[in-house]
Amino acid sequence: MMEAGIITELPRILSVQAEGCAPLVRAFKKHKNKIKRWEKPSTLAKAISVPYPLDGELALRAIRDSGGSAISVSYGEMVNAARDIARLEGIFAEPTGAASVAGLAKALKEGIVSEEESVVALVTGTGLKAISSFGKLLEAPKTIGRNISDLKNALDG
């Protein structure tokens, strides 16, 4: 993007991992240069449940070199972000794919990112892969009746 003249400076990187498996976030917050394996990952976000990222040290360096940060999010925050993405953008993302937006929302609240900044959040993975992850959010809405005559009776009072 720099070579194409689209941007003039390297963007800050915000790494987002699941709370139940966040070895890169832990190393970043403890000011470590090495990633320590996350023992017993515990998250429903299986696609980002990586106990030892192979390029973790390179990612850590890239985050620091860019003046960026690292943050972890709960599965509930991912589901809520997926719901917001669907409502606001019309994109049905799986919770794991919405982790970037959940992390951005949390980073805004924590002052890591300001509202004046331009950001790009990569949303990967369709919600169709993980429909069961949405639980009550996808339950059928309550209806007045079972057929048109029940509806008519309800409206006539």
Side-chain angles (χ1 to χ4, degrees), residues 9-141:
E9 60 186 76
L10 183 67
R12 292 188 310 136
I13 297 171
L14 175 65
S15 173
V16 181
Q17 290 187 299
E19 285 180 351
C21 187
L24 196 140
V25 174
R26 178 178 59 197
F28 179 83
K29 291 188 184 252
K30 290 184 176 186
H31 306 285
K32 303 288 185 185
N33 291 322
K34 295 282 185 191
I35 304 287
K36 183 179 173 191
R37 181 177 184 78
W38 191 277
E39 296 301 325
K40 299 183 183 176
S42 175
T43 178
L44 295 171
K46 298 301 179 200
I48 59 173
S49 181
V50 182
Y52 185 79
L54 296 178
D55 291 327
E57 281 82 17
L58 290 173
L60 209 49
R61 186 173 347 130
I63 293 164
R64 289 192 177 117
D65 288 350
S66 75
S69 191
I71 198 164
S72 61
V73 293
S74 70
Y75 194 72
E77 289 170 315
M78 290 181 226
V79 170
N80 288 335
R83 184 195 60 225
D84 291 343
I85 294 166
R87 185 174 51 82
L88 298 170
E89 302 295 335
I91 297 169
F92 185 30
E94 67 174 321
T96 299
S100 62
V101 174
L104 176 58
K106 196 170 190 176
L108 279 164
K109 286 179 191 168
E110 294 183 8
I112 296 169
V113 175
S114 79
E115 291 185 18
E116 289 77 39
E117 291 182 77
S118 295
V119 299
V120 174
L122 300 177
V123 178
T124 61
T126 174
L128 295 174
K129 290 183 355 184
I131 287 192
S132 63
S133 299
F134 292 95
K136 291 187 181 265
L137 291 177
L138 294 178
E139 286 182 359

